[in-house]
Amino acid sequence: MTKWRDLRGSELTTGSVGRTVLVAGWVARRRDHGGLMFVDLRDEAGVVQLVINPERSAEAAAAAADLRIESVVQARGQVVQRSPETVNSNMVTGQIEIQVDEFNVLGRSTVLPFQLDEEGVGETLRIRYRWLDLRREKMQRNIRTRAKLVSIIRQEMERDGFVDIETPIMGKPTPEGARDFLIPTRLQPGRFFALPQSPQIYKQLLVIAGFERYFQIARCFRDEDLRADRLQELTQLDVETAFPDVDYLFALIERTVVRIWRECIGVELSSPFPRMTWKQADLEYGSDKPDLRFDLRIQDATELTRGSEFGVFANAGAVRYLRVPKELSRGEITKLEDTAKGWGAKGLAYIVFRADGEVSSPIAKFLSSSILDSLREPGTTALFVADEPREVSRILGFLRLQLGRELGLVDEAAWRFTWVTDFPMFKWDADLERWDAEHHPFTRPTAESLPLLDTDPGGATAVAYDLVGNGIELAGGSFRIHEPELQAKVFDLLRITPEEQRSKFGFLLDALAMGAPPHGGIASGIDRLSMALLNEPYIRDTLAFPKNQAGIDPMSGAPTAVTSEQLAELGIAVVAKEDSSPG
């Protein structure tokens, strides 16, 4: 049987000097110095230098004569110590090299569409030749780190007695908030499976079935528009427990995250992580995933300005502001106002407090001296938004993040984690004039909120929680409703008729009626967790074979058309979209 190599060239050390070794890998670089050739041989662990000298081996030199970058080669030779002036301190193997006696090209490369060290290569081209792109050092790091992350998760789950159970990929549509990917079936023409947006109902059924601690590294699918941090085909850690305990779940996830950060990137996190309610996050940061790496907080001036002569403030549902630690110029404020209006703001009021205490603002004349004194902080600018509370939070939340970046307030080297708890149970859909579930319709209301289901659903909070790191949602979950009567009541509030309840969730309702324990869990997106860990701006670069932003795989060409015979067998007819472009 052919032997390809004795060891990986990157494993050689000064202790290997004098050995004759057989190595194989890819040609990362080649340098021809008048017949003397230097080849950087790359394998999965690193790089070692080969020296091909025609005076030592004319056959090896002839075999390497027309060598292309990224060809796969094999070499046999003696490990020697480099001379002091040729030591490369940037390479782990930089003190040694291999003097080649035999050289073979095992897989010749064509001209490359791009070089591995080339900057600015477009994403579509990189995905089109993904096998080549994946050879880049960054992509090797990303994929290997992701694999290590998943391994740590499995170890921590199994350590606590969680059972890894697979759930169906072809199932029934569930209300997870995005469109389903549908699968036709030849055996049941005109009927469709759905790819799971999450294993939500299945994991509840497993706990009801007596598997008190379930987990899965689950594949999930959501037919939604793509962006830098969103995928259609994603992977998540899925966890569910019977007789749930919030403190236990939080400690489990914290322990896992701390270990991931320590072992994958050498960062020691402090735990337990702090907690804040959704209401606090909304009021102080304008976001349910606050970035705590800088301490620019939203402040409230609703009551302070309620009696002012400035009608915009006096009549608004909420008046809040950000205090910028700088005297902004009129040009800077105009630019920020234009940005805020692009987010839907009606305007951006401001007060500049000069270092000497003087005020510069077109609205100052409408505010009493007591109001101005309450707001005064020399050398700062207060930026106000007045509107309905949700709009004020949303706009100031966006503005806070932009100011944090532009003013250099963000500590880029820091890691700041927090739990956000007590999310709203429902949100009002003004177009349909009905309540929607903030998370999903199986989320449990807090004990204090149970009476509000009859009187004030908008005031109800849920036993729901998210883990946020550096402004990125890294995990989220809730306790579930385990009483059939309460579940039916929530369905009624969401205007899901009894007929729809039976049609969509009849099997879950039957299970709840047959001895369901209290249960709850949490899920964490592996892709987004990897993205945060690696400080990677594009989530697609945490996957080996992603689709591009249009949802297309430029490498394989998927999705593709299929034959009319295949469609007929499935009972499907394709209807072309009408061209809506102006003629």
Side-chain angles (χ1 to χ4, degrees), residues 282 285-287 298 320 339-346 385 387-401:
D282 180 66
Y285 301 98
S287 172
I298 298 169
R320 298 175 194 156
T339 300
K341 286 181 177 178
W343 294 326
K346 296 172 183 173
V385 174
D387 207 323
E388 293 307 307
R390 279 287 184 107
E391 280 298 291
V392 172
S393 291
R394 185 180 66 83
I395 293 162
L396 285 177
F398 288 157
L399 193 61
R400 175 183 181 270
L401 292 176

Side-chain angles (χ1 to χ4, degrees), residues 165-168 174-176 198-216 236 238-244 439-444 477-484 486-487 491 504-505 507-522:
I165 306 175
E166 293 181 353
T167 53
T174 57
E176 298 290 336
S198 86
Q200 178 60 49
I201 293 181
Y202 289 115
K203 67 182 177 183
Q204 290 189 244
L205 293 173
L206 284 167
V207 174
I208 294 170
F211 295 96
E212 295 187 18
R213 292 189 174 186
Y214 143 93
F215 91 101
Q216 181 183 186
Q236 71 180 33
D238 206 47
V239 177
E240 194 78 4
T241 63
F243 313 106
H439 188 41
H440 57 61
F442 316 113
T443 304
R444 184 173 195 80
S478 66
F479 285 10
R480 326 302 183 189
I481 298 169
H482 68 278
E483 309 94 329
L486 181 56
Q487 185 64 78
F491 282 154
K504 293 180 178 179
F505 314 112
F507 60 105
L508 175 62
L509 295 174
D510 290 342
L512 293 175
M514 295 183 189
H519 55 285
I522 195 165

Side-chain angles (χ1 to χ4, degrees), residues 177-388:
R179 295 183 184 91
D180 289 308
F181 281 104
L182 300 177
I183 307 172
T185 169
R186 176 183 58 82
L187 298 177
Q188 301 288 335
R191 300 185 135 201
F192 296 84
F193 290 107
L195 296 178
Q197 293 187 39
S198 86
Q200 178 60 49
I201 293 181
Y202 289 115
K203 67 182 177 183
Q204 290 189 244
L205 293 173
L206 284 167
V207 174
I208 294 170
F211 295 96
E212 295 187 18
R213 292 189 174 186
Y214 143 93
F215 91 101
Q216 181 183 186
I217 305 297
R219 299 290 284 161
C220 305
F221 307 86
R222 296 168 189 174
D223 186 4
E224 55 189 0
D225 294 335
L226 298 171
R227 57 191 187 200
D229 65 344
R230 179 185 287 173
L231 299 166
Q232 292 181 329
E233 187 176 355
L234 54 144
T235 306
Q236 71 180 33
L237 164 66
D238 206 47
V239 177
E240 194 78 4
T241 63
F243 313 106
D245 180 303
V246 165
D247 292 332
Y248 168 73
L249 276 174
F250 284 16
L252 171 67
I253 298 300
E254 287 173 2
R255 187 183 79 207
T256 303
V257 168
V258 166
R259 187 178 163 197
I260 287 169
W261 257 250
R262 178 193 301 126
E263 295 184 19
C264 290
I265 62 172
V267 170
E268 194 65 44
L269 301 177
S270 177
S271 64
F273 302 151
R275 305 180 188 184
M276 71 174 71
T277 64
W278 176 89
K279 185 175 182 180
Q280 179 187 354
D282 180 66
L283 289 173
E284 295 186 5
Y285 301 98
S287 172
D288 58 7
K289 42 183 182 293
D291 189 339
L292 304 183
R293 291 175 295 171
F294 62 109
D295 196 29
L296 183 63
R297 303 194 192 196
I298 298 169
Q299 301 182 58
D300 190 78
T302 308
E303 293 306 317
L304 177 67
T305 59
R306 182 60 73 211
S308 73
E309 296 179 12
F310 189 46
V312 172
F313 284 4
N315 301 317
V319 181
R320 298 175 194 156
Y321 66 98
L322 285 166
R323 184 179 300 284
V324 183
K326 176 185 177 182
E327 296 177 36
L328 296 178
S329 68
R330 186 70 191 93
E332 289 173 317
I333 293 170
T334 299
K335 184 178 177 182
L336 289 170
E337 183 175 26
D338 290 342
T339 300
K341 286 181 177 178
W343 294 326
K346 296 172 183 173
L348 187 67
Y350 70 92
I351 305 174
V352 179
F353 295 99
R354 304 295 182 195
D356 59 6
E358 289 299 309
V359 172
S360 174
S361 169
I363 67 169
K365 60 188 176 184
F366 301 109
L367 303 177
S368 66
S369 57
S370 63
I371 292 176
L372 291 173
D373 287 342
S374 296
L375 297 169
R376 192 185 311 274
E377 190 170 316
T380 67
T381 303
L383 301 172
F384 296 83
V385 174
D387 207 323
E388 293 307 307

Side-chain angles (χ1 to χ4, degrees), residues 88-100:
N88 186 345
S89 58
N90 295 321
M91 292 171 58
V92 175
T93 59
Q95 292 186 311
I96 56 97
E97 60 192 15
I98 300 173
Q99 293 284 344
V100 175

Side-chain angles (χ1 to χ4, degrees), residues 431-577:
D431 294 331
L432 298 177
E433 296 187 340
R434 71 176 191 192
W435 294 107
D436 279 340
E438 185 75 38
H439 188 41
H440 57 61
F442 316 113
T443 304
R444 184 173 195 80
T446 59
E448 304 78 32
S449 296
L450 288 173
L452 297 177
L453 299 183
D454 295 317
T455 59
D456 180 20
T461 57
V463 188
Y465 33 81
D466 282 352
L467 175 62
V468 178
N470 287 7
I472 302 171
E473 180 190 331
L474 300 179
S478 66
F479 285 10
R480 326 302 183 189
I481 298 169
H482 68 278
E483 309 94 329
E485 301 81 11
L486 181 56
Q487 185 64 78
K489 187 170 191 173
V490 169
F491 282 154
D492 289 341
L493 264 172
L494 298 174
R495 294 191 189 173
I496 302 175
T497 66
E499 293 75 22
E500 287 179 297
Q501 294 174 32
R502 289 308 310 175
S503 171
K504 293 180 178 179
F505 314 112
F507 60 105
L508 175 62
L509 295 174
D510 290 342
L512 293 175
M514 295 183 189
H519 55 285
I522 195 165
S524 176
I526 301 296
D527 319 285
R528 191 167 291 177
L529 194 63
S530 302
M531 182 183 179
L533 177 73
L534 296 162
N535 195 27
E536 177 60 61
Y538 299 106
I539 199 167
R540 292 182 289 280
D541 276 345
T542 69
L543 286 84
F545 298 103
K547 313 296 186 292
N548 66 14
Q549 196 157 353
I552 293 170
D553 178 6
M555 183 181 70
S556 68
T560 61
V562 297
T563 65
S564 56
E565 290 80 9
Q566 287 175 290
L567 293 175
E569 193 174 32
L570 294 168
I572 294 176
V574 175
V575 179
K577 278 190 174 181

